[in-house]
Amino acid sequence: MKKTNAIRILERHKIAYDTVAYQYDPANLALDKIAADNDLELKAVYKTLVAKGDKTGVVIAVVTGDQELNFKALAKASGNKKITLVAVKELQGLTGYIRGGCSPLGMKKEYPVFIEAVAEQLEQMYVNAGVRGVLVGLSPNELGRATKGVFAEIC
């Protein structure tokens, strides 16, 4: 497997990780399917959402696959009054990633990252590795360290 920017960052920080390759299906991006197909608990598989705040600009939300983002909670945690998700057409320009392959690691710029607080209770969580069809599994605390992420109740 070709190394992604996300994997290079983990290696540079000497963070232990494993990878899970899965069959990418653009018609079905549901995390419950990805988790089931790879014998992973849904609560351990996270999606990376890119949002914009009315005061801070771009913020990243790392949200568990079995819950939905709470926009008001993310706004409060990030110092904004309003939060909206960025349009898919803006995603690559802002992050360097495309839909279905967005990782909280290795974006074009360092944006503030907010990780759902329940992740801290897990030994290992899975996030996108920066390419469609590959997840990276790592300690939530190590993800926080690598992204300078803040754990907050955002679901």
Side-chain angles (χ1 to χ4, degrees), residues 23-142:
Q23 184 63 42
Y24 175 78
D25 180 359
N28 187 358
L29 297 176
L31 290 185
D32 56 346
K33 178 177 176 12
I34 294 168
D37 289 352
N38 292 283
D39 295 321
L40 301 171
E41 287 188 70
L42 181 57
K43 69 179 185 178
V45 180
Y46 282 67
K47 56 190 167 191
T48 304
L49 302 175
V50 181
K52 277 189 184 172
D54 61 337
K55 295 183 179 183
T56 64
V58 176
V59 296
I60 309 304
V62 182
V63 180
T64 181
D66 62 353
Q67 294 185 25
E68 295 293 322
L69 175 65
N70 179 323
F71 289 89
K72 286 184 179 182
L74 179 59
K76 184 177 179 181
S78 63
N80 289 284
K81 285 190 178 190
K82 277 182 67 176
I83 288 278
T84 57
L85 292 179
V86 301
V88 173
K89 64 183 179 186
E90 293 179 75
L91 189 63
Q92 189 170 15
L94 290 170
T95 66
Y97 292 127
I98 56 175
R99 182 173 185 251
C102 191
S103 177
L105 297 152
M107 292 189 180
K108 281 183 167 182
K109 294 182 181 178
E110 274 194 35
Y111 296 115
V113 174
F114 297 87
I115 304 166
E116 170 52 44
V118 298
E120 288 185 292
Q121 300 168 11
L122 300 172
E123 284 185 37
Q124 188 161 19
M125 66 186 294
Y126 294 85
V127 296
N128 193 284
V131 64
R132 290 174 171 168
V134 182
L135 298 175
V136 63
L138 71 163
S139 153
N141 289 330
E142 294 289 26

